[in-house]
Amino acid sequence: MRKFYHLIFTLCLFLAIPATVWAQEPIILTDEQETYSLGLHLGILEDPTGQLTIAEVSSDAYRAKFVPSTVDVPNYGNTDMVYWVRFQVANQAKQTNLWYLVLDRTSISVHYVDLFIPTSSGFSQKHTGGMRSFDTRDIDYHSLNFELPLPTDRQQTIYLRFQGQSIMVLGMTLKTPHVFIQQSLADQFEYAFLFGLMFIMVGYNLFLFFTLRDNSYFYYALFLGGILSYFAWLNEFIQQYLWRDSGQATLYLIPIMLSVTQASLLKFTDIFLQLDTQSPRWHKFIKLLWWTILVNYLLSWADYRFAQTLFRINTIIVALTAISPGVITLFRGYKPSRFFVLAWATFIVGVIVFALAQLNVLSINYLTVHALNLGLALLVLLLSLALADRINTIKEEKNL
């Protein structure tokens, strides 16, 4: 009988483990800390029909259906699934009861975001996202953020609903107003430098094109214009300052920007490296890729989400196509390839560092978070040097 009681006790203890080990812990806000990552405090519910309401997901029937997140930044890839997210927060900070809920940069692709804050009569609601007017934002800022009032010494359960047709990344952070303002200023300065540099280089290379009548400058300017427009739209600067009610335009403009950027880069590579004579096989391959870009663009009108996947695959192929013949022609002694290969190698390193930081392989710091933008800035500068080096090489060959 004693063994039987011991077995029952052990079984009860085992069944009790999930409730203690895997239970979602509330976030405790204090005056000593000003930033809190929410990833490991989230409960996530998939909504296959997209028809669930806040009354349903907050009811007892769905309470146990939320799956605790086990990563800092939940990433569901390219999906059109609707996700509900909840987290518990207890504000013990005495200095502030207003916090900012900041969504990860990559969450910009989420088309609809709804926030539900509990009240005495139910939930107060806020609705924003990439497909809604910019005027729905709590803060007139280019990334998705919410003002979150959190009364002192009270625990609350906050709910969010996410819906989109592209990459679904649920990275979220709670910040004090002081930290949010500081980081926003640094963020604005970084983008002002990057966009200012690219805008100047677009104008400069167009001037050189009209002066020298060299097509490589035109396609380089077109490439810079395409990638500048894409980054400005993706980070919602265009929506913030120029087109606040853009809404559905995202579905049409993003494919155009990506197509122009990829096609002009391929043409620039072909002309700059003189592939028709230096490497005829790569010259023919680039012509083939132009057709894939056109087909990809046309598909975006039929199935946006599928086309976005193809665009990402095509972007990788285009980037490899840009650097591969550069390496080949460099080993063949074509001098202008030096800066060309260095430019693309620098940018690829920036992309890899940024990706590894997002995957938590590298620690999150200023360098890893901004590696992509830094790589892009160096790409722009080094490709400009490559063009100058190419002109000098042509002049030297003519004087021989």
Side-chain angles (χ1 to χ4, degrees):
M1 184 61 70
R2 183 177 298 176
K3 290 182 178 180
F4 175 76
Y5 287 134
H6 180 73
L7 178 62
I8 294 297
F9 175 78
T10 304
L11 181 60
C12 291
L13 182 62
F14 177 77
L15 293 175
I17 288 177
T20 56
V21 174
W22 289 292
Q24 291 172 251
E25 296 182 0
I27 304 144
I28 309 299
L29 307 179
T30 66
D31 291 323
E32 287 71 36
Q33 187 172 340
E34 294 186 300
T35 303
Y36 297 83
S37 176
L38 303 187
L40 296 176
H41 299 274
L42 299 177
I44 302 172
L45 172 68
E46 291 187 359
D47 181 4
T49 66
Q51 301 300 316
L52 293 177
T53 65
I54 181 59
E56 291 174 317
V57 298
S58 62
S59 66
D60 292 338
Y62 281 88
R63 185 165 300 171
K65 295 183 179 181
F66 279 82
V67 178
S69 170
T70 58
V71 294
D72 287 327
V73 182
N75 187 344
Y76 293 95
N78 195 7
T79 178
D80 57 359
M81 179 75 73
V82 173
Y83 291 90
W84 286 85
V85 172
R86 74 179 182 193
F87 62 91
Q88 293 182 329
V89 58
N91 185 18
Q92 295 182 3
K94 306 300 181 182
Q95 297 181 4
T96 180
N97 56 11
L98 177 64
W99 293 74
Y100 288 137
L101 178 60
V102 181
L103 275 65
D104 189 271
R105 282 184 179 184
T106 48
S107 300
I108 293 170
S109 60
V110 179
H111 295 159
Y112 302 97
V113 184
D114 306 306
L115 175 70
F116 302 89
I117 305 173
T119 64
S120 57
S121 58
F123 288 90
S124 66
Q125 304 181 16
K126 298 181 180 182
H127 308 282
T128 187
M131 287 294 183
R132 293 182 171 126
S133 170
F134 205 89
D135 293 327
T136 60
R137 310 291 174 94
D138 276 353
I139 309 161
D140 194 25
Y141 189 63
H142 68 92
S143 63
L144 292 173
N145 305 283
F146 290 101
E147 288 183 345
L148 194 59
L150 297 172
T152 304
D153 295 328
R154 184 190 303 176
Q155 182 167 308
Q156 294 178 294
T157 301
I158 310 296
Y159 290 85
L160 294 105
R161 182 184 184 273
F162 293 88
Q163 182 179 359
Q165 296 183 49
S166 187
I167 298 297
M168 182 66 71
V169 178
L170 304 179
M172 288 174 280
T173 309
L174 277 178
K175 298 179 180 180
T176 62
H178 171 70
V179 169
F180 177 79
I181 292 172
Q182 279 190 327
Q183 294 181 353
S184 298
L185 290 174
D187 191 49
Q188 292 279 53
F189 177 79
E190 175 190 345
Y191 278 107
F193 171 78
L194 179 62
F195 292 160
L197 171 67
M198 295 181 69
F199 189 79
I200 290 172
M201 295 309 297
V202 169
Y204 176 67
N205 282 278
L206 283 176
F207 170 77
L208 291 178
F209 164 68
F210 288 114
T211 302
L212 302 175
R213 296 298 176 179
D214 187 331
N215 288 338
S216 60
Y217 286 103
F218 172 76
Y219 287 107
Y220 181 52
L222 192 60
F223 163 68
L224 291 180
I227 201 168
L228 172 62
S229 300
Y230 177 70
F231 265 71
W233 186 276
L234 191 66
N235 289 281
E236 299 196 300
F237 285 101
I238 293 177
Q239 295 91 316
Q240 181 180 4
Y241 296 109
L242 301 177
W243 196 356
R244 298 179 74 87
D245 293 313
S246 55
Q248 295 289 327
T250 296
L251 301 178
Y252 310 109
L253 292 179
I254 290 293
I256 293 175
M257 294 172 186
L258 289 174
S259 298
V260 169
T261 302
Q262 293 177 0
S264 57
L265 173 58
L266 288 175
K267 188 65 176 178
F268 168 71
T269 301
D270 191 25
I271 296 175
F272 180 89
L273 297 176
Q274 297 180 355
L275 295 181
D276 55 339
T277 57
Q278 295 288 333
S279 183
R281 290 183 178 179
W282 280 105
H283 177 68
K284 293 178 181 178
F285 182 66
I286 283 178
K287 284 188 174 181
L288 177 63
L289 281 181
W290 291 338
W291 287 105
T292 66
I293 293 172
L294 177 60
V295 170
N296 200 354
Y297 171 72
L298 294 176
L299 281 174
S300 68
W301 288 82
D303 189 334
Y304 178 79
R305 188 167 66 88
F306 178 66
Q308 285 295 300
T309 301
L310 292 182
F311 268 122
R312 291 184 178 92
I313 295 173
N314 226 25
T315 298
I316 296 172
I317 296 174
V318 168
L320 292 176
T321 301
I323 193 172
S324 298
V327 173
I328 292 172
T329 55
L330 177 63
F331 280 107
R332 290 178 179 174
Y334 187 60
K335 289 177 61 178
S337 298
R338 296 173 299 176
F339 285 112
F340 185 88
V341 172
L342 179 60
W344 278 106
T346 303
F347 180 66
I348 290 173
V349 168
V351 171
I352 292 173
V353 170
F354 179 79
L356 291 178
Q358 296 298 305
L359 294 172
N360 293 324
V361 176
L362 296 178
S363 61
I364 299 294
N365 54 52
Y366 184 86
L367 181 61
T368 57
V369 168
H370 299 82
L372 183 60
N373 290 347
L374 179 61
L376 180 59
L378 291 175
L379 172 69
V380 171
L381 292 173
L382 290 172
L383 284 180
S384 299
L385 290 176
L387 278 167
D389 187 48
R390 176 175 175 270
I391 293 297
N392 292 332
T393 300
I394 292 174
K395 288 181 179 179
E396 291 174 2
E397 291 175 351
K398 288 182 177 181
N399 292 331
L400 291 178

